[in-house]
Amino acid sequence: RICVESMTCDDLKKLFPVYVSTDYFRGSLTIRETDLQAKVKEVVWTNSDFQNIEQKIVKDMTSFFQMAGAEDIFYHDCDGIMIFEEGGQKYMFFSELKSTFDAHDIYQAKDQIISSYLKINMLLNLLPNYKTEDYIVKGFIFSYPPNSSYIYELNRARYLAKKSKYKTESEFILDLCHWGKSTKLTPLSCHKLKGLPLGDRGVFQEIEIFHIQVPKNDSSITLDVQNYI
C-alpha cells in the first residue's frame, strides 16, 4: 500500500522543518492526549498507512488569528490529524480525546475539529498536489459513555428548544451519541461559521462527526479505519 500523496509530508517538512512529527506511519498510528491529568490518553488507528500532521502546527496558528481579531472558531485545535488513502479515495481524520462525558466538552470538541480543519486546510492548499475537494473529512470524539439519565435530560431539552437551522448543544449531542453515533455537519449548519467570508476551498463540504465510547476505566482504545470509511 502506498501512502496518499507521497510528497505531502516531505513538502510540509520543507515548508515547516521544526515540526518533526509530521511523518509516515505504516500499519498503525497512535494519537495521544498530552494533558497529564487526562484519563483517556490515546487512540490507536490501525489497518492502513498514515501520514501524521503534527497537531502543534494548527495550535501555533492560533496566536495569529487571536492577534488578527478573528472569530474564536479559529482559536481551537484537536489532538490529532491524519491523512490516508484507501481504494483510491483520500481521507482526513481528526481525533479529539475527552476524559469525561460532558455536553459542553463534547460540543466544544466539534469546534476543535472544525477549527483544526480550517487551519490545516489553509496550509495544505499551499502544496502542489493538494486539493480540498479530493478528501472525505471525518471527526472523532472519544470519551467515556454518558449515563442514561443525562441523555434523557438532553432529549427533554431538545424537545423544548425552538427550531433552528443550526444545531443546538442538546441536538448535536443527541444526534452524535444517542440516535446514530454520528452526525453530519455542513458550513450552513455551524453557527460559528455564519457570515464568515470563506471560499469553497477554505471550508469543508461536509464533516461526519463520530462519538466513540471508550470502555470505562480504560485509558486507550484501538480502532480499525476500515470500519469508518
Side-chain angles (χ1 to χ4, degrees):
R1 187 187 287 133
I2 301 174
C3 282
V4 57
E5 299 283 357
S6 60
M7 292 300 293
T8 300
C9 284
D10 292 338
D11 288 343
L12 280 176
K13 285 181 180 178
K14 289 176 183 177
L15 286 175
F16 314 114
V18 169
Y19 298 99
V20 295
S21 293
T22 295
D23 210 343
Y24 306 113
F25 291 81
R26 297 192 179 276
S28 68
L29 171 63
T30 300
I31 293 170
R32 294 181 175 86
E33 167 59 69
T34 56
D35 185 352
L36 296 178
Q37 303 302 315
K39 297 177 181 177
V40 178
K41 297 184 182 297
E42 66 176 28
V43 54
V44 181
W45 288 102
T46 66
N47 205 9
S48 191
D49 293 336
F50 305 96
Q51 293 191 51
N52 177 63
I53 299 177
E54 187 170 344
Q55 173 264 1
K56 196 171 182 294
I57 293 177
V58 294
K59 189 178 187 65
D60 287 348
M61 292 176 70
T62 298
S63 59
F64 164 77
F65 286 100
Q66 290 173 331
M67 289 187 295
E71 297 293 331
D72 68 1
I73 187 59
F74 295 101
Y75 298 177
H76 308 289
D77 54 90
C78 68
D79 291 317
I81 306 169
M82 66 189 194
I83 59 178
F84 64 98
E85 183 174 333
E86 288 292 335
Q89 176 60 60
K90 301 166 188 174
Y91 296 89
M92 189 179 303
F93 279 16
F94 295 79
S95 299
E96 173 60 25
L97 284 62
K98 297 293 183 185
S99 288
T100 59
F101 186 93
D102 175 83
H104 176 73
D105 286 347
I106 301 297
Y107 194 68
Q108 184 184 45
K110 164 186 65 70
D111 290 342
Q112 291 174 262
I113 289 168
I114 291 172
S115 182
S116 293
Y117 173 82
L118 294 176
K119 289 183 281 189
I120 200 60
N121 178 61
M122 182 175 71
L123 291 181
L124 290 175
N125 267 299
L126 296 172
L127 304 184
N129 297 316
Y130 175 79
K131 294 181 181 179
T132 303
E133 57 272 20
D134 287 348
Y135 286 80
I136 291 176
V137 183
K138 300 191 180 191
F140 297 82
I141 302 169
F142 299 85
S143 80
Y144 291 134
N147 62 57
S148 56
S149 61
Y150 192 66
I151 291 296
Y152 172 80
E153 290 301 323
L154 286 175
N155 195 18
R156 184 171 178 272
R158 180 185 194 180
Y159 178 77
L160 296 174
K162 294 181 179 179
K163 295 294 182 183
S164 170
K165 66 179 180 179
Y166 303 113
K167 288 181 182 291
T168 64
E169 182 175 293
S170 58
E171 286 175 328
F172 176 76
I173 301 300
L174 283 169
D175 287 346
L176 185 65
C177 305
H178 186 47
W179 304 123
K181 297 199 180 344
S182 75
T183 187
K184 294 181 179 180
L185 300 175
T186 67
L188 291 178
S189 66
C190 300
H191 75 277
K192 286 195 173 183
L193 299 180
K194 180 182 178 182
L196 294 181
L198 300 173
D200 290 342
R201 293 177 62 81
V203 293
F204 49 90
Q205 293 182 338
E206 177 182 274
I207 295 182
E208 185 174 13
I209 306 286
F210 293 81
H211 177 251
I212 306 298
Q213 296 186 11
V214 179
K216 197 66 176 174
N217 299 322
D218 284 1
S219 62
S220 176
I221 189 170
T222 299
L223 297 181
D224 184 334
V225 295
Q226 303 298 325
N227 294 327
Y228 296 95
I229 61 175

